[in-house]
Amino acid sequence: QRKRTPTYDLNIPIDYNALGIGGLDKELTEIRRRALASRTLSPQEVEEMEIEHVRGILLYGPPGTGKTLIARKIGGLLKAASTKIVNGPEILDKYVGVSEQRIRELFAAAECDQDRQGANSGLHVIIFDEIDAICKKRGEMDNHVNDTIVDQLLAKMDGIEQLNNILVIGITNLPELLDSALLRPGRFEIQMKVINLPDEAGRLQIFEIRTAKLKENNKLDGSVNLKELAKKTKQYSGAGIAGLITMADFKRALGEKPKKKEEKDQNEQNVDESSSLKKSEEKE
Ligand code: ATP
């Protein structure tokens, strides 16, 4: 049975908060636009206009800013027919050829779909988290495993030209380690930095997302002022804010009473404590 091709309307705004991602509206809108713009056209228009679909997007930036979170949600956002997420280090295998085989398998499902469905089949998204673990500059590592993995990925991405229905997303904290051949046109040709730290509005969104469940279950103390917290947590990443809320939850679980307004000074000290937590997370 023929699957229906999803129709994309890039003018319909998306509520990214409802997806659970805060403070990254600009980046997500850009990813959607770049990945899908050419895919809103008919195959005939694509041919007539000699357009090439975007095959690869690299998301890079410091840890804890939500790149992995985006990876988990991107398939839904792009109405993908399938989404595969693999972690770079997981692909590595000590036996020669096994890692390359895994890469071929990742592309196989989309390639089969193309055979059955023709050029306009749904989008298959393949995500490599921590791609720097498997795609370092060739010729610089002692063993050749890295080099043959890079060769295999390049070969597969070049093959997408005929396919059109695959989008590969690479995620890394260390883009400077990647083999430069991967960044050429037709491969990870779009490179997007995921912002350093969210601004106050972004932090408020993240606080709201991360406390939504507590609120739903009436477990968010009435004295908690999220706007105030968003103001006070400049320098916090998304992961830092998530850590702060987890720590507050632990304290509650251990029976500590919620802070009252007059204990404001104490509250501020807590924010300081968590900032060391945030820093250690960011170092990871
Ligand atoms: P790393 O490179 O270390 O994997 P990352 O940029 O991929 O970092 P995530 O793993 O996505 O960051 O973030 C860690 C956790 O922090 C997420 O599971 C999520 O709970 C929270 N978080 C980070 N950024 C955001 C955000 N923008 N909105 C909501 N939650 C966020």
Side-chain angles (χ1 to χ4, degrees):
Q1 198 194 331
R2 217 176 157 81
K3 263 185 270 170
R4 269 191 57 218
T5 308
T7 46
Y8 299 115
D9 185 347
L10 295 175
N11 296 317
I12 297 176
I14 302 259
D15 179 359
Y16 298 115
N17 275 20
L19 267 181
I21 309 176
L24 293 171
D25 295 19
K26 222 171 68 209
E27 287 77 2
L28 291 166
T29 303
E30 186 64 5
I31 292 174
R32 243 181 113 232
R33 195 178 68 74
R34 304 291 288 262
L36 299 180
S38 62
R39 292 177 163 105
T40 59
L41 304 170
S42 70
Q44 197 191 341
E45 284 170 310
V46 169
E47 208 179 302
E48 279 168 11
M49 293 159 84
E50 294 184 4
I51 288 173
E52 286 196 5
H53 297 293
V54 166
R55 294 179 229 175
I57 300 178
L58 184 75
L59 301 179
Y60 69 95
T65 47
K67 297 184 298 301
T68 304
L69 189 61
I70 293 178
R72 291 208 305 266
K73 310 276 180 171
I74 200 83
L77 190 65
L78 303 180
K79 295 191 194 168
S82 80
T83 309
K84 294 208 167 89
I85 307 184
V86 284
N87 197 271
E90 272 170 27
I91 294 265
L92 282 176
D93 200 287
K94 57 184 180 220
Y95 299 107
V96 177
V98 175
S99 313
E100 295 82 333
Q101 172 64 22
R102 286 193 188 160
I103 290 188
R104 285 195 292 277
E105 282 164 9
L106 280 172
F107 284 78
E111 288 165 354
C112 287
D113 193 37
Q114 170 81 8
D115 291 344
R116 283 200 320 259
Q117 309 288 336
N120 212 9
S121 71
L123 186 64
H124 294 265
V125 179
I126 301 172
I127 300 165
F128 291 92
D129 201 357
E130 296 184 61
I131 192 170
D132 49 277
I134 51 169
C135 288
K136 295 200 171 55
K137 289 188 173 67
R138 283 170 293 178
E140 287 191 1
M141 304 293 288
D142 287 343
N143 64 40
H144 295 292
V145 176
N146 175 79
D147 297 5
T148 50
I149 295 177
V150 175
D151 289 338
Q152 179 65 82
L153 186 58
L154 287 174
K156 279 291 163 199
M157 289 189 82
D158 291 343
I160 295 173
E161 197 172 357
Q162 290 86 44
L163 289 177
N164 291 337
N165 65 339
I166 301 179
L167 177 71
V168 187
I169 297 179
I171 298 178
T172 181
N173 300 328
L174 302 161
E176 63 280 4
L177 296 187
L178 296 181
D179 192 285
S180 55
L182 282 164
L183 308 178
R184 289 199 199 120
R187 287 133 182 204
F188 292 105
E189 57 197 311
I190 294 174
Q191 292 138 32
M192 275 183 58
K193 183 162 184 177
V194 178
I195 51 162
N196 284 332
L197 294 170
D199 60 11
E200 190 178 320
R203 293 196 299 274
L204 180 60
Q205 285 180 1
I206 299 170
F207 269 113
E208 279 169 353
I209 289 166
R210 303 291 309 191
T211 54
K213 268 239 160 66
L214 293 175
K215 215 171 187 175
E216 209 179 288
N217 297 319
N218 289 326
K219 293 230 163 87
L220 189 66
D221 192 80
S223 67
V224 175
N225 183 338
L226 297 183
K227 278 195 182 134
E228 192 121 314
L229 282 169
K231 260 203 190 91
K232 279 185 186 162
T233 43
K234 222 179 163 179
Q235 304 306 317
Y236 271 64
S237 65
I241 292 173
L244 190 62
I245 293 165
T246 308
M247 195 168 77
D249 277 352
F250 272 138
K251 286 195 168 172
R252 195 209 325 267
L254 291 172
E256 247 180 65
K257 284 195 188 125
K259 306 280 177 238
K260 297 228 167 65
K261 279 213 173 88
E262 55 270 25
E263 292 174 69
K264 195 167 167 267
D265 287 350
Q266 185 64 34
N267 258 334
E268 274 168 10
Q269 195 186 327
N270 283 345
V271 171
D272 284 347
E273 268 175 40
S274 330
S275 105
S276 55
L277 174 89
K278 176 204 67 158
K279 278 181 196 134
S280 65
E281 265 185 29
E282 284 181 348
K283 264 191 215 142
E284 272 171 26

